[in-house]
Amino acid sequence: MAEGEDMQTFTSIMDALVRISTSMKNMEKELLCPVCQEMYKQPLVLPCTHNVCQACAREVLGQQGYIGHGGDPSSEPTSPASTPSTRSPRLSRRTLPKPDRLDRLLKSGFGTYPGRKRGALHPQVIMFPCPACQGDVELGERGLAGLFRNLTLERVVERYRQSVSVGGAILCQLCKPPPLEATKGCTECRATFCNECFKLFHPWGTQKAQHEPTLPTLSFRPKGLMCPDHKEEVTHYCKTCQRLVCQLCRVRRTHSGHKITPVLSAYQALKDKLTKSLTYILGNQDTVQTQICELEEAVRHTEVSGQQAKEEVSQLVRGLGAVLEEKRASLLQAIEECQQERLARLSAQIQEHRSLLDGSGLVGYAQEVLKETDQPCFVQAAKQLHNRIARATEALQTFRPAASSSFRHCQLDVGREMKLLTELNFLRVPEAPVIDTQRTFAYDQIFLCWRLPPHSPPAWHYTVEFRRTDVPAQPGPTRWQRREEVRGTSALLENPDTGSVYVLRVRGCNKAGYGEYSEDVHLHTPPAPGIQKLARRGGACLQFQLPRRLRQ
């Protein structure tokens, strides 16, 4: 019995450990620096509230050409392990700027140099390209030295490391790769050392030799946040600047007139808000899961719809290609027929001219006929021959080819078609219609007229929505009455309530979907004339007849 209880207890403990480990692993992406894509190391809080490793921030500023503005924040410890050469392998590989380039940068306003006064007329403004929001944030004249270190994020990263590597050895932070296992830690240096490195960085006869060694740990950090400007502990929070401040900052003109509260009040307020929001999220896990399922279904539908759209576009383009191919064949056939007809005429003309050569064709036959001595027979044969010779002579004197060799009349003007093909694009929804206030009115009927903007895609039909605004609002979303598939650019709403205010809007629709609504237009129906009035109880309309003089 006791063994069974012990096993059950052990199983529950293991299940809890697995859940905790899974929860920690799932948040790993929240603990990655957007620059180096590694776990945060000494993260700094940018003015845009995003975080970045301090060494990565220095490297980014160096790439931007800022020299002398990557100073340590006030909460940054001074230790051998936090130097750029040991902190980031990439920084150790970067070449330092040449002396002449450094001198030019200093003279041009980068960094600080002897003779530069604080608060000059044109102080250097440091802009940092945030890799998370892709925007440029202003760091101020002090650069990284004016930023706070995110100690809470460091603690979360440390807990995460401990959860995913239980019992893992702590390595020396000063060894050359591969590092040895750390055997000592130093609170003053805020680093872990192996035996050899501890002796190397704590030589006898120096002040560091007085440092007391401790057990190796990764939790070297300041006890609290210090003001970057005055090196004082922060005690208040400026709501206007949304920044932690110390007592000296509070009395400066920079925060004059700002809403400043004790840090305890800000802590409690933010903690209550975060707890409330987190409680709401945890209490609506079913809703979150349902929305995830909807999004996954939307992803699948997007994939299917995208594939269908690709197939439709491919089919339409293939259809255009088929039409162009058919037209090409028709045009080439027309050119071929014209070419053959011209070649035939030119060939016949060539044969006629060849018959005029000496001793061949018509000339040879005429020469033989001239040898005839029998006069009646000569007259009979020469009469027909003379007509042919006369035509040949005329053709010889007024020579021109029987057909033109030019095919300029077969040139195609495809400028308009090329422009149409170049402008071929996806169909857009109609733009928001514009209400024509000159032709829109309300009396015993409401006549609404509109038009599309000049360069709007066409609309197949319209949807007109209207509602009364002078009735008590019902709980829930606003309900509109709707007139679907209105053809044309006007609509007539019959039998409105008298003495009421109506708001109307309209939107167009085509194959691409519905466009934006037009601006709301408010129309006031006049009171009933009282001549003939028919009220329908339980309905929403009144029918009435105008006096004859008004109808005329």
Side-chain angles (χ1 to χ4, degrees):
M1 186 67 178
E3 294 180 358
E5 293 179 356
D6 293 341
M7 181 60 66
Q8 185 177 1
T9 303
F10 176 76
T11 304
S12 61
I13 293 175
M14 292 303 298
D15 291 341
L17 291 176
V18 169
R19 288 196 299 270
I20 294 174
S21 178
T22 303
S23 175
M24 296 297 289
K25 289 181 179 179
N26 289 338
M27 71 173 184
E28 179 178 355
K29 62 181 180 180
E30 300 291 337
L31 308 179
L32 298 179
C33 173
V35 177
C36 62
Q37 294 300 316
E38 298 178 358
M39 290 291 181
Y40 283 110
K41 297 178 181 178
Q42 302 170 358
L44 303 178
V45 183
L46 298 175
C48 58
T49 70
H50 294 119
N51 299 278
V52 64
C53 296
Q54 182 185 352
C56 295
R58 290 174 178 169
E59 185 176 2
V60 171
L61 287 182
Q63 294 173 354
Q64 296 293 322
Y66 293 108
I67 306 297
H69 293 273
D72 296 347
S74 58
S75 300
E76 172 65 22
T78 303
S79 69
S82 63
T83 58
S85 59
T86 59
R87 170 61 174 77
S88 175
R90 292 173 299 172
L91 290 178
S92 62
R93 293 193 297 265
R94 288 185 61 239
T95 57
L96 295 176
K98 296 181 180 180
D100 56 344
R101 170 174 169 77
L102 183 60
D103 184 65
R104 290 198 306 269
L105 290 172
L106 291 176
K107 291 182 179 180
S108 62
F110 292 108
T112 57
Y113 51 89
R116 182 182 180 189
K117 296 182 180 181
R118 187 177 181 87
L121 295 178
H122 301 285
Q124 176 68 25
V125 179
I126 309 300
M127 303 300 296
F128 185 89
C130 177
C133 60
Q134 304 298 323
D136 292 336
V137 294
E138 183 177 343
L139 300 184
E141 187 179 358
R142 300 190 61 204
L144 299 180
L147 300 181
F148 284 103
R149 182 171 161 185
N150 196 336
L151 301 181
T152 302
L153 180 57
E154 286 191 51
R155 297 186 183 99
V156 174
V157 171
E158 181 179 351
R159 289 197 295 269
Y160 173 82
R161 292 182 182 276
Q162 293 176 354
S163 66
V164 298
S165 58
V166 178
I170 300 177
L171 302 179
C172 177
Q173 295 177 279
L174 281 304
C175 280
K176 295 182 179 180
L180 301 177
E181 182 177 354
T183 58
K184 297 179 182 180
C186 181
T187 306
E188 300 293 333
C189 297
R190 288 176 170 79
T192 56
F193 304 87
C194 63
N195 290 329
E196 295 299 327
C197 290
F198 187 84
K199 295 177 182 179
L200 178 64
F201 284 91
H202 297 80
W204 290 101
T206 63
Q207 186 177 1
K208 288 187 176 182
Q210 305 297 326
H211 294 178
E212 290 292 335
T214 62
L215 294 176
T217 181
L218 296 176
S219 59
F220 296 120
R221 63 175 63 88
K223 295 182 179 180
L225 288 176
M226 308 297 288
C227 175
D229 297 328
H230 306 105
K231 305 298 185 288
E232 298 286 341
E233 184 178 357
V234 294
T235 56
H236 290 77
Y237 180 77
C238 179
K239 293 183 177 180
T240 306
C241 301
Q242 296 185 356
R243 180 180 175 87
L244 292 166
V245 295
C246 66
Q247 290 287 359
L248 295 178
C249 292
R250 184 183 177 185
V251 298
R252 287 182 59 188
R253 290 183 299 174
T254 307
H255 299 278
S256 177
H258 292 185
K259 295 181 179 179
I260 299 178
T261 61
V263 70
L264 178 60
S265 301
Y267 161 80
Q268 192 62 46
L270 289 175
K271 187 173 183 179
D272 292 344
K273 291 180 180 179
L274 181 59
T275 303
K276 184 178 179 180
S277 300
L278 188 60
T279 302
Y280 175 81
I281 293 175
L282 294 177
N284 291 272
Q285 291 298 293
D286 294 340
T287 303
V288 174
Q289 192 63 38
T290 301
Q291 293 177 358
I292 290 175
C293 294
E294 292 181 2
L295 292 174
E296 291 175 348
E297 182 62 27
V299 169
R300 290 190 291 267
H301 187 267
T302 301
E303 293 175 351
V304 174
S305 300
Q307 188 62 32
Q308 291 178 352
K310 291 179 182 178
E311 294 177 357
E312 290 179 1
V313 170
S314 299
Q315 184 177 359
L316 290 174
V317 173
R318 285 195 298 267
L320 289 176
V323 172
L324 288 175
E325 183 63 26
E326 182 179 353
K327 191 64 177 178
R328 184 186 73 87
S330 174
L331 294 174
L332 292 181
Q333 180 64 27
I335 294 175
E336 180 68 20
E337 293 177 357
C338 180
Q339 182 184 24
Q340 294 299 327
E341 187 268 338
R342 291 185 179 185
L343 290 176
R345 292 167 58 184
L346 290 173
S347 298
Q349 190 176 20
I350 291 174
Q351 293 297 329
E352 291 179 359
H353 277 66
R354 285 178 177 174
S355 66
L356 301 180
L357 295 176
D358 184 15
S360 63
L362 182 61
V363 173
Y365 175 67
Q367 292 174 348
E368 293 297 326
V369 170
L370 289 175
K371 296 178 182 180
E372 179 64 42
T373 58
D374 188 347
Q375 295 179 356
C377 293
F378 175 80
V379 171
Q380 182 181 9
K383 184 177 181 181
Q384 181 182 8
L385 180 61
H386 178 266
N387 294 332
R388 294 178 61 188
I389 292 296
R391 288 196 300 270
T393 303
E394 183 180 1
L396 190 62
Q397 294 175 350
T398 60
F399 171 76
R400 60 179 302 178
S404 174
S405 61
S406 174
F407 280 84
R408 291 183 178 178
H409 68 286
C410 295
Q411 297 294 322
L412 291 179
D413 182 11
V414 295
R416 183 182 62 179
E417 288 75 9
M418 291 295 294
K419 182 179 180 181
L420 291 175
L421 288 176
T422 303
E423 296 176 352
L424 183 64
N425 206 338
F426 298 110
L427 180 63
R428 296 183 294 114
V429 297
E431 297 181 10
V434 180
I435 303 298
D436 189 350
T437 57
Q438 300 296 328
R439 300 172 56 191
T440 297
F441 62 88
Y443 204 78
D444 60 336
Q445 296 174 333
I446 295 179
F447 183 74
L448 182 66
C449 187
W450 63 87
R451 64 180 183 275
L452 285 176
H455 301 290
S456 171
W460 293 358
H461 56 82
Y462 298 89
T463 297
V464 178
E465 296 183 355
F466 58 96
R467 62 181 177 87
R468 287 183 56 182
T469 61
D470 54 350
V471 295
Q474 299 295 330
T478 304
R479 295 184 178 181
W480 293 76
Q481 292 179 278
R482 188 175 289 107
R483 182 78 61 83
E484 301 282 358
E485 296 189 3
V486 177
R487 308 292 175 176
T489 57
S490 62
L492 184 64
L493 306 179
E494 299 179 349
N495 304 324
D497 293 344
T498 58
S500 302
V501 178
Y502 281 85
V503 57
L504 302 95
R505 63 184 185 182
V506 61
R507 63 175 177 174
C509 178
N510 57 18
K511 189 176 181 180
Y514 284 96
E516 296 291 334
Y517 283 102
S518 66
E519 294 185 0
D520 295 347
V521 57
H522 293 75
L523 299 177
H524 189 283
T525 58
I531 300 230
Q532 183 179 355
K533 184 188 305 179
L534 176 62
R536 187 171 62 189
R537 296 182 181 274
C541 65
L542 290 175
Q543 298 179 356
F544 55 89
Q545 185 175 3
L546 294 176
R548 179 176 301 176
R549 61 182 181 85
L550 292 180
R551 294 201 305 270
Q552 292 177 352

